[in-house]
Structure formats: structure tokens, C-alpha cells
Amino acid sequence: MIEERIKELTQQIVQRFKDSGYDVNAKEVEKRLKLLILEFKVPESEAKRTITNYLLKELDIPRESLITESELVKVADITKPNQWVSLKVKVVQLWDSNSPSISQVGLVGDETGTIKFVIWAKADKDPVEEGKCYLFKNVVTDSFAGRMQINVNKNSEISEIDEEITLPPREIEVVGALISIQQNSGLIRRCKTCNRVMSKGVCPIHGKVEGYDDLRIKGVIDDGENVYEVVLNEQNIKNLTGIGLKEAKEIAEEFLDRTAVLAELKKRLLGKYFKLVGDRGERYLIVKNIEFLRIDVKKEVEKLINSLEA
Ligand SMILES: [Zn+2]
């Protein structure tokens, strides 16, 4: 048993140096671990530290070039910034990135919750895919605008894992009023390469490129207790208003102005009440189904009378 544990510890030390770009002799590490743990009864963590220090000195490696060893944690354990951690997660959503320094941004999660992740372009990693599970090794926790996130840098490793990770339910139902529609809603243009929203014919990553039209609404729903930032796609909008992409283009052509679509959508939807079901992301509620709230007046009056009589 202890022999196995020593092999495990040996592997951890060797791997840590390897991840930092140094090869160390596994036999030598194992021999020293045995000596410290079995002969001198030194606790595991101290034995590891002692050997790591010995190797740093022996190989003349500056301490800061050795990557910090990170513990395997759960999403819910992440509460402090600037910690090196590893975690097994599923990629829940990939988001649009507006910054060329970011390669990918989105949401990952495990059975304890979800967290935003950022993969820096400099990290030079293969892209991750939605719905797949990965081991994110040696990532750094960070806090941005009061929320925790994890950052993937060049010392991090991402490897796909053959495990199914089940997330807590994210679907919620909200009944409330649409109190705001953002300016970047309506008939928008997306980059053909990366699907990011373009501004004045320019993709934030690919510059001046050809795009394609899309229809969406970014807005705010207020249910009287909370506000939800929601994203409605073309299908949602078409179901509500009858205005799909084709109709939106016709409006834009008729008025010779793409923003006419936004004005029309605002006129029809702003201030109205809706019942919707969506997936809760870190920031946005991605709407799956949305309908106008129809209040059954007769039923409401009956309820009111009953409550007065009671
Ligand atoms: Zn692009």
C-alpha cells in the first residue's frame, strides 16, 4: 500500500517538473521518498517539499519557473482569486469573444455548479467543444466583476476525458416584463468565420470580413424580484412577432435602415409581459421558449373574490 503511494508521489513530482519543462530521474525521486517516508517517518507533504527543493537546487532551476502544483477541485470550491487549480468539467457554452487576446470564452461546469472560463490566445491551446468533458489542469482562478472565473494560460493543460459529468439543472422558468432591449439587438451581422457579432463590417478577431445576417435580441426581463439578462434568437423573435430574418431584411430594405428592425421590435415587445423558459448561463438566460403572458381575467377575478370572502 505504502509502496503504491510512494509511486504515486514520485509520479506527481516527476510530472510537475516535466510540466515545467524539466526532466528528473524518477528512480532517484523514488529512492529519496522511500528514505524520507519509510526510514525517517517524514510526513508525505514535507517529503515532497524536501525533494522538490533538493531537485531545484541540484538542477539549478529558479523556483518561480516551476509551475505551482494544483489540486483537483470542484467548481463550488473556487472562492478565491489567484489559486492554481485543476478541475474536471464539461463545456456548457461557448460565448462570443470581443477581444483578440482571448481564444475562447464560455461556461464550464461540474456537479457542483458552473464557472466562466477564459482561454488566452497566448496559451496556444486546441479549441474545446461544447458538450465535451475535459481535465483543465493548472488553471488560475480569478475574480472579475464580483464573479469567479478560471483562466487558461500557457502553463495550463487541457485534455479531453472519457467521463460523463452531470451538471445541476440550469433550466428555469421566468414570468416578467421585458423592460429593456439593448442597442446591439435586431438585425445584426456575424463573422462567417467565428460567428462573432460584427460592428460596422468589422469582426473583432478577423477584421474587415464578409458576414451574414442574423436576428437576435439582448434584453432584460424583470419578474418583480430579479432581473434577468436574456438572449432571444431568430426563432424566438419570429414566434412572438412574426418577424423572422426574411421579414427583418424586408423592413431594413423598405426603410433603407437596419435599425428600423430594432425600432419595430421595441414597439412590439418592450414593456410586455412574457412567460419564458431558458438555460441559465453565467450572465445571460438563453431563451428556449418564450410566449406572451395571457392573463385569464375571469380566473384572476374569481381568485380575488375568493380571497376576499375567506
Ligand atoms: Zn471573426
Side-chain angles (χ1 to χ4, degrees):
M1 209 56 201
I2 188 83
E3 291 283 321
E4 249 174 62
R5 182 67 190 146
I6 285 175
K7 284 222 173 353
E8 219 175 280
L9 295 172
T10 302
Q11 182 53 31
Q12 286 175 11
I13 294 172
V14 171
Q15 191 62 44
R16 186 178 174 198
F17 276 86
K18 200 174 168 200
D19 288 346
S20 312
Y22 304 100
D23 273 326
V24 295
N25 187 333
K27 283 226 167 69
E28 173 78 18
V29 172
E30 194 178 335
K31 200 180 84 189
R32 284 176 181 272
L33 271 173
K34 274 185 180 163
L35 191 70
L36 287 171
I37 294 173
L38 300 177
E39 296 288 319
F40 296 103
K41 311 284 179 210
V42 173
E44 277 182 17
S45 57
E46 198 177 323
K48 263 175 96 174
R49 197 163 44 237
T50 305
I51 292 167
T52 302
N53 287 338
Y54 161 79
L55 290 168
L56 286 172
K57 216 178 210 176
E58 190 70 14
L59 298 165
D60 198 20
I61 303 170
R63 172 165 289 279
E64 54 279 10
S65 68
L66 194 62
I67 60 159
T68 313
E69 194 176 28
S70 60
E71 224 185 311
L72 195 62
V73 299
K74 296 287 178 196
V75 167
D77 298 332
I78 298 173
T79 53
K80 276 188 293 187
N82 301 317
Q83 310 286 310
W84 287 83
V85 295
S86 298
L87 56 173
K88 287 178 175 177
V89 285
K90 183 185 226 167
V91 176
V92 183
Q93 279 172 7
L94 292 172
W95 299 339
D96 291 347
S97 156
N98 295 316
S99 161
S101 62
I102 291 172
S103 145
Q104 282 185 302
V105 57
L107 201 64
V108 291
D110 62 18
E111 56 278 14
T112 70
T114 54
I115 191 166
K116 179 183 170 185
F117 74 94
V118 172
I119 303 177
W120 298 107
K122 272 189 181 166
D124 196 23
K125 300 287 178 239
D126 289 336
V128 294
E129 288 176 42
E130 263 180 28
K132 288 194 172 171
C133 298
Y134 299 88
L135 169 65
F136 276 55
K137 203 171 159 193
N138 298 321
V139 297
V140 186
T141 65
D142 194 5
S143 120
F144 185 75
R147 289 172 197 272
M148 298 308 299
Q149 65 176 54
I150 52 171
N151 294 331
V152 176
N153 61 39
K154 64 180 190 315
N155 288 326
S156 313
E157 269 176 60
I158 302 175
S159 47
E160 200 181 331
I161 50 172
D162 192 18
E163 277 175 50
E164 186 49 35
I165 294 170
T166 315
L167 273 75
R170 293 184 305 128
E171 199 178 90
I172 55 166
E173 192 187 279
V174 178
V175 172
L178 184 64
I179 56 167
S180 157
I181 294 180
Q182 284 180 29
Q183 218 40 45
N184 56 359
S185 301
L187 189 58
I188 54 163
R189 254 184 123 63
R190 292 186 186 275
C191 170
K192 270 190 176 162
T193 309
C194 67
N195 301 321
R196 287 179 174 87
V197 176
M198 298 164 61
S199 163
K200 296 188 173 79
V202 177
C203 165
I205 302 293
H206 300 100
K208 229 176 158 60
V209 285
E210 239 190 286
Y212 65 93
D213 288 319
D214 193 12
L215 193 62
R216 71 129 181 233
I217 286 177
K218 276 190 170 184
V220 178
I221 294 264
D222 186 342
D223 72 356
E225 269 180 53
N226 294 302
V227 290
Y228 301 86
E229 287 186 88
V230 296
V231 180
L232 274 59
N233 63 20
E234 188 211 343
Q235 196 56 53
N236 300 144
I237 297 167
K238 185 157 188 179
N239 289 348
L240 290 175
T241 62
I243 300 172
L245 191 54
K246 187 172 142 271
E247 292 77 13
K249 282 184 188 172
E250 284 166 8
I251 294 171
E253 274 164 31
E254 189 187 337
F255 289 89
L256 298 171
D257 181 5
R258 294 168 72 86
T259 63
V261 176
L262 178 58
E264 183 63 25
L265 292 176
K266 279 185 172 172
K267 203 169 85 190
R268 299 221 201 163
L269 302 174
L270 209 51
K272 302 281 195 322
Y273 282 80
F274 300 91
K275 181 172 157 185
L276 59 97
V277 172
D279 278 336
R280 200 202 310 247
E282 180 77 359
R283 178 167 175 190
Y284 293 103
L285 188 64
I286 310 297
V287 175
K288 284 179 172 168
N289 285 303
I290 180 164
E291 55 189 62
F292 284 103
L293 185 68
R294 293 179 212 291
I295 300 173
D296 188 336
V297 176
K298 204 173 147 214
K299 217 167 119 192
E300 291 301 313
V301 170
E302 270 171 20
K303 252 203 275 180
L304 187 65
I305 291 170
N306 285 340
S307 74
L308 288 174
E309 282 173 351

